[in-house]
Amino acid sequence: MGVDTTIFEHHLAGPPEPGLTPEDVVARAEAMIPELVERQGETEQRTYYGEDVHERFSEAGFYRILVPRRYGGYEFGIDTFVRVAINLTRGCPSAGWMFCLGASHALAAATIFDELTQEEIFASGEFICPATVVPGGTAERTADGDWLINGTWGYCSGSPYASHFMGHAMVSPEDGGPPEPMLFIAPRSQWTRLDDWGQALGLKGSGSHSIRIVNGRVPDRYTIKGHMSQIDVTGGTPGRSLHGPEYGGGQLSFMVMEDALLAVGMAKGALDAYEDLMRTRTTPFPPIVTRSEDPDFQLTYGKAAGLIATAEAATMDVARQWREASAHGASAVTKEHELGLAGICSEAVALCWRAVESYLFPTAGSSAVRGGERIERVWRDMSMFVTHAGVSTYLAKIAKRDLAKARFGLE
């Protein structure tokens, strides 16, 4: 795979809107919330957001937030990405999930891969790349040292408009030991998206289709031995050298930060819907008043709002801590630091789920949780979200145990 010479012309051109600010893209995402709310049903039916929505995300600069500026991105950092993704998820959990898990991996790619690989994969200035953490399939060396990849990977959120796919294949070591995972990036030309999404309880429109690769050819430089969550950045990264400290942070902690921001966005959407009910519905029993005037509904709203606000504040502070640790130097991004951030993200998810599952959903009323109603949809989406292995197993159990092991030197 050769280097496209138009890349260098693209670099000189810079991003499409040189004067764009982080506040601009956050405001653009917020402005899209009403439309995303209205189109939730359509998104679920299609199993991903529409092409016109995708084009507007592109024009708004959302797919370039984490792409380095030298490759035509905006390099606005994780704080801006978190705020944009929360807003989009607030409008439509499926759309926000699909966007987040497609666009977020620009950070990983710009951190851990070498300069030539980055020049090639970021050639368009945009990077949409679903990633899966569960290893599968196989990878075999070719005669010229590259790799042939074969396999099918499920739950590839963001795949409908993806430019690349990031996965893990199992490789048998030359010494004959047991197979080990290898991280790889496969360009869009090397894989096929399967039409197999939309039958789950929730997140029906998240574009989480399976990806199949049959004899896909991947250059050796597009691969890294090991699992993405276990990459050690304390010795520095290619991205830190190329772009600065924002591309030298921990990959594990950023991955779990995505869980927290998605939970916050979903819960804020449920709170929006509940507020509409508070303003327009009355109490079922005398004295008949609007719900906003009723002490019990007031208390329920206040409890849920407090839980969600706490989760959002915690998530934004995780972004701050992540950024500051990266700025302090590679040695500051320790495993214990990463696991500490994972613990905060776990509790943020739990707070949001408690707000929806314990307060908003059960008191909204039966008519408000019929199929297609906004609170009903958020409840379905979050019900599926909390069963995700990254939340129910890794964040809830493994990360907490590993944090204690790291603290007490028991690794």
Side-chain angles (χ1 to χ4, degrees):
M1 181 181 296
V3 178
D4 184 350
T5 57
T6 61
I7 293 171
F8 305 106
E9 297 175 4
H10 177 77
H11 293 176
L12 293 174
E17 296 181 77
L20 192 69
T21 68
E23 290 71 24
D24 291 334
V25 292
V26 172
R28 289 174 180 180
E30 186 174 4
M32 291 195 70
I33 291 175
E35 180 183 349
L36 292 174
V37 171
E38 290 299 317
R39 299 181 66 172
Q40 287 180 100
E42 165 204 324
T43 298
E44 285 193 340
Q45 185 175 16
R46 185 187 297 106
T47 71
Y48 54 94
Y49 54 73
E51 188 170 354
D52 62 321
V53 173
H54 164 63
E55 290 173 353
R56 289 173 62 191
F57 283 6
S58 177
E59 292 169 359
F62 298 163
Y63 297 127
R64 297 174 185 259
I65 293 172
L66 295 175
V67 174
R69 202 165 187 89
R70 68 185 290 171
Y71 301 130
Y74 289 109
E75 202 174 308
F76 283 154
I78 64 170
D79 304 70
T80 301
F81 184 84
V82 168
R83 293 164 67 196
V84 166
I86 285 176
N87 276 328
L88 299 180
T89 309
R90 183 177 184 174
C92 175
S94 283
W97 185 285
M98 177 174 162
F99 163 77
C100 178
L101 297 186
S104 63
H105 300 114
L107 184 75
T111 298
I112 62 179
F113 285 94
D114 65 24
E115 183 175 5
L116 178 56
T117 300
Q118 292 193 37
E119 287 178 344
E120 293 175 358
I121 65 175
F122 292 128
S124 73
E126 294 187 342
F127 187 74
I128 306 172
C129 181
T132 60
V133 297
V134 178
T138 61
E140 298 181 1
R141 281 279 194 183
T142 63
D144 55 4
D146 291 335
W147 295 90
L148 278 182
I149 309 289
N150 284 277
T152 301
W153 291 261
Y155 298 94
C156 300
S157 304
S159 55
Y161 304 116
S163 59
H164 297 77
F165 167 60
M166 190 180 296
H168 296 82
M170 299 303 292
V171 178
S172 297
E174 295 180 0
D175 60 8
E180 299 174 346
M182 180 185 74
L183 175 67
F184 67 87
I185 291 181
R188 182 65 184 85
S189 61
Q190 301 301 306
W191 52 266
T192 301
R193 177 176 66 88
L194 304 184
D195 185 17
D196 63 352
W197 188 247
Q199 300 304 311
L201 172 67
L203 297 169
K204 294 176 180 288
S206 61
S208 302
H209 305 76
S210 296
I211 282 176
R212 177 172 294 164
I213 301 179
V214 179
N215 292 327
R217 193 177 183 89
V218 173
D220 183 57
R221 63 181 178 277
Y222 282 35
T223 70
I224 294 177
K225 184 179 180 181
H227 195 276
M228 182 165 63
S229 67
Q230 298 177 333
I231 291 176
D232 183 1
V233 301
T234 56
T237 67
R240 181 181 286 274
S241 299
L242 287 169
H243 318 300
E246 188 80 11
Y247 297 92
Q251 298 310 298
L252 171 63
S253 51
F254 183 69
M255 287 166 58
V256 297
M257 200 186 311
E258 296 167 24
D259 293 327
L261 72 86
L262 289 166
V264 169
M266 292 181 196
K268 291 184 76 168
L271 191 66
D272 289 342
Y274 199 85
E275 180 177 342
D276 290 341
L277 297 175
M278 291 275 287
R279 296 181 184 278
T280 59
R281 301 285 180 89
T282 57
T283 53
F285 302 104
I288 305 299
V289 296
T290 60
R291 293 184 182 184
S292 62
E293 300 174 274
D294 179 78
D296 290 336
F297 279 103
Q298 291 168 353
L299 180 60
T300 298
Y301 178 88
K303 284 184 175 180
L307 291 170
I308 297 166
T310 302
E312 183 173 22
T315 301
M316 294 309 303
D317 195 64
V318 167
R320 178 192 63 80
Q321 291 186 53
W322 189 97
R323 177 172 34 80
E324 290 184 356
S326 301
H328 287 158
S331 61
V333 190
T334 64
K335 185 174 182 179
E336 183 177 345
H337 169 77
E338 287 224 81
L339 291 167
L341 296 185
I344 299 173
C345 291
S346 175
E347 297 308 312
V349 172
L351 289 173
C352 290
W353 178 228
R354 181 182 170 197
V356 173
E357 195 255 353
S358 298
Y359 294 110
L360 301 180
F361 183 82
T363 62
S366 57
S367 63
V369 295
R370 292 172 179 166
E373 294 293 329
R374 191 175 180 187
I375 287 184
E376 180 269 344
R377 181 173 282 113
V378 173
W379 181 84
R380 281 193 292 105
D381 291 340
M382 291 199 77
S383 294
M384 182 164 177
F385 173 45
V386 296
T387 69
H388 191 288
V391 174
S392 65
T393 301
Y394 182 77
L395 280 182
K397 299 176 182 178
I398 297 174
K400 291 180 171 63
R401 293 169 182 160
D402 285 352
L403 173 61
K405 291 177 183 178
R407 185 61 176 173
F408 294 105
L410 300 174
E411 296 178 85

